[in-house]
Amino acid sequence: TRMEWQMTVEDNKALVQRAYLDGMNKNDMGIIREVFAPDYVNYFPAGQGELHGIDEFVSALSSFIGAFSGLTFKVDDVLGEGDKVALRWSAVGVHTGDYAGIPPTTIVPATGRTISMSATDIYQVANGQVITKWNSLDGFDVLRQMGVLPANDA
């Protein structure tokens, strides 16, 4: 029989924060594999696609982090209710490697520009791991900062 985890809302919030502070900030994919379930699914906004499974996610995340020097994630807010956690984050890094985006789209060679990004994402947790994420990162804004898309004049 499989052991069912009895996780509190506070446990779930700590789990999701660990992905950013211990996993992504330290580029530690071992921690990412602990936090996210093997059958994890990541949904992106505006028809930008999905990632299915921990291996696909780790590959995309490693590529994303590798495109920046000094990329540092900060947790700005974290809220939880039931099996869901909402986390607002921000990050800054210098674009020094090939950027493919999340989900991977077009390769953008290093520009040397400092890139700022932020999002508010919703996570669903079951049995001590994240099983689903609804991602709100504006990939088009990142591409605008890189100079690939025209700046908004609004």
Side-chain angles (χ1 to χ4, degrees), residues 36-147:
F36 294 89
D39 57 352
Y40 166 73
V41 179
N42 190 331
Y43 297 101
F44 296 91
Q48 294 175 45
E50 305 170 0
L51 292 175
H52 291 269
I54 189 64
D55 291 335
E56 190 175 12
F57 177 60
V58 163
S59 174
L61 182 61
S62 295
S63 172
F64 181 85
I65 291 171
F68 300 93
S69 295
L71 184 64
T72 304
F73 290 87
K74 182 176 161 236
V75 173
D76 299 310
D77 281 304
V78 61
L79 308 166
E81 185 172 340
D83 66 348
K84 301 269 186 2
V85 173
L87 186 138
R88 185 172 63 90
W89 60 268
S90 55
V92 177
V94 179
H95 178 215
T96 55
D98 286 348
Y99 174 81
I102 290 190
T105 51
T106 304
I107 299 288
V108 179
T111 62
R113 295 181 179 198
T114 297
I115 306 297
S116 299
M117 57 194 101
S118 63
T120 301
D121 300 332
I122 299 174
Y123 297 80
Q124 184 177 24
V125 178
N127 300 318
Q129 290 185 303
V130 174
I131 58 170
T132 311
K133 175 183 177 183
W134 293 269
N135 189 313
S136 71
L137 176 63
D138 183 350
F140 298 112
D141 179 60
V142 173
L143 293 173
R144 278 190 288 277
Q145 291 181 62
M146 290 176 175

